Amino acid sequence: NIQYFASDEYMPPMFRNNISNPLIQGSAVCLNTPWVPCPNCTCLSIYDDGRRPGNDELLVNRCGKIEGEDGRNLTVALKNECDGTVRQLGAVNYATVVLLLLATTLLGFYLKQQEIKFDEDEQTAQDYSVRVTNPPHDAVDPREWRNFFMETCGAQVTVCTVAVDNDLLVRTLVERREILRTIQNILDPGTSMSNLKLAYMAAKTERERN
């Protein structure tokens, strides 16, 4: 497209040489705009109502009035003589879109294959782990599970862990440890933290409050 817009076919050199900004060289800007009669055109000075101009409405910088040969006022308008709607431009744009879609699809496929290859090269413990989600309720001994897998599957078991559904117990133990740590910070250093000592201090404190 840039090559076409910079060619003599789009705009003659006498007009193209008047472009001073090098950033717009090869763009669709057109300086080949002669004044032509436009008797049905309406020249507008201000466009502040937010609507788009109609086909017969032009701003004053592209529209004007001159005196015709018969002495009457004649409306003239700037006409763009550059042809920017040739088949070549449409074909180039269409081919570019198809090429980008194809390249994006191939890139996604390539990245997916690389992801699989990287995952296969990077071995983790998860690749050699077996998870049993529906064990018997009384099967809580890791050694029993280890012997089961070794005898039944003939596998070498490195680590076997049994996760017991005791979330409430674990949270309670954590809360108990935090309370004991708070009591330890309040007491004098070296004070015994045995259950009997704590029970004695709790009873003493309760008695003093009453």
Side-chain angles (χ1 to χ4, degrees):
N1 291 350
I2 296 178
Q3 183 179 2
Y4 172 75
F5 288 136
S7 66
D8 298 342
E9 184 180 357
Y10 176 71
M11 185 168 53
M14 58 179 299
F15 297 103
R16 189 171 63 254
N17 294 335
N18 294 328
I19 300 178
S20 59
N21 190 350
L23 297 178
I24 61 176
Q25 292 284 349
S27 67
V29 63
C30 181
L31 301 182
N32 185 10
T33 54
W35 291 94
V36 295
C38 186
N40 296 326
C41 294
T42 301
C43 298
L44 302 178
S45 58
I46 299 178
Y47 235 89
D48 56 358
D49 55 0
R51 62 186 180 89
R52 295 176 61 87
N55 294 331
D56 57 346
E57 295 176 325
L58 295 172
L59 296 179
V60 291
N61 59 343
R62 298 191 64 88
C63 179
K65 293 183 180 297
I66 62 174
E67 185 177 347
E69 296 179 354
D70 56 358
R72 292 184 301 177
N73 287 335
L74 176 65
T75 303
V76 294
L78 286 176
K79 180 182 179 181
N80 193 329
E81 293 288 352
C82 301
D83 188 5
T85 58
V86 296
R87 182 177 300 178
Q88 172 188 348
L89 298 182
V92 170
N93 292 334
Y94 182 78
T96 302
V97 172
V98 173
L99 180 62
L100 289 177
L101 292 177
L102 181 60
T104 303
T105 303
L106 293 178
L107 179 61
F109 178 77
Y110 172 77
L111 292 179
K112 187 65 177 180
Q113 296 299 318
Q114 292 299 314
E115 180 183 355
I116 296 176
K117 182 179 179 180
F118 177 79
D119 183 66
E120 292 177 350
D121 293 340
E122 192 72 18
Q123 301 295 332
T124 61
Q126 184 179 2
D127 298 326
Y128 302 97
S129 301
V130 177
R131 181 181 180 185
V132 180
T133 58
N134 58 342
H137 296 289
D138 57 347
V140 294
D141 188 359
R143 289 171 296 184
E144 181 181 356
W145 281 105
R146 180 176 180 272
N147 295 333
F148 169 78
F149 285 117
M150 293 181 64
E151 296 174 359
T152 305
C153 304
Q156 175 63 36
V157 180
T158 303
V159 178
C160 183
T161 303
V162 177
V164 183
D165 187 12
N166 57 352
D167 182 65
L168 180 60
L169 175 61
V170 173
R171 284 189 287 139
T172 304
L173 292 176
V174 171
E175 184 179 355
R176 176 180 179 273
R177 183 175 59 183
E178 293 177 352
I179 294 175
L180 289 177
R181 185 175 300 173
T182 303
I183 296 175
Q184 186 178 11
N185 294 333
I186 296 175
L187 298 177
D188 296 331
T191 304
S192 175
M193 295 290 295
S194 63
N195 293 335
L196 291 177
K197 183 64 174 180
L198 292 176
Y200 169 75
M201 290 187 296
K204 182 179 178 181
T205 303
E206 185 68 21
R207 199 166 45 246
E208 291 175 354
R209 289 179 179 176
N210 296 332

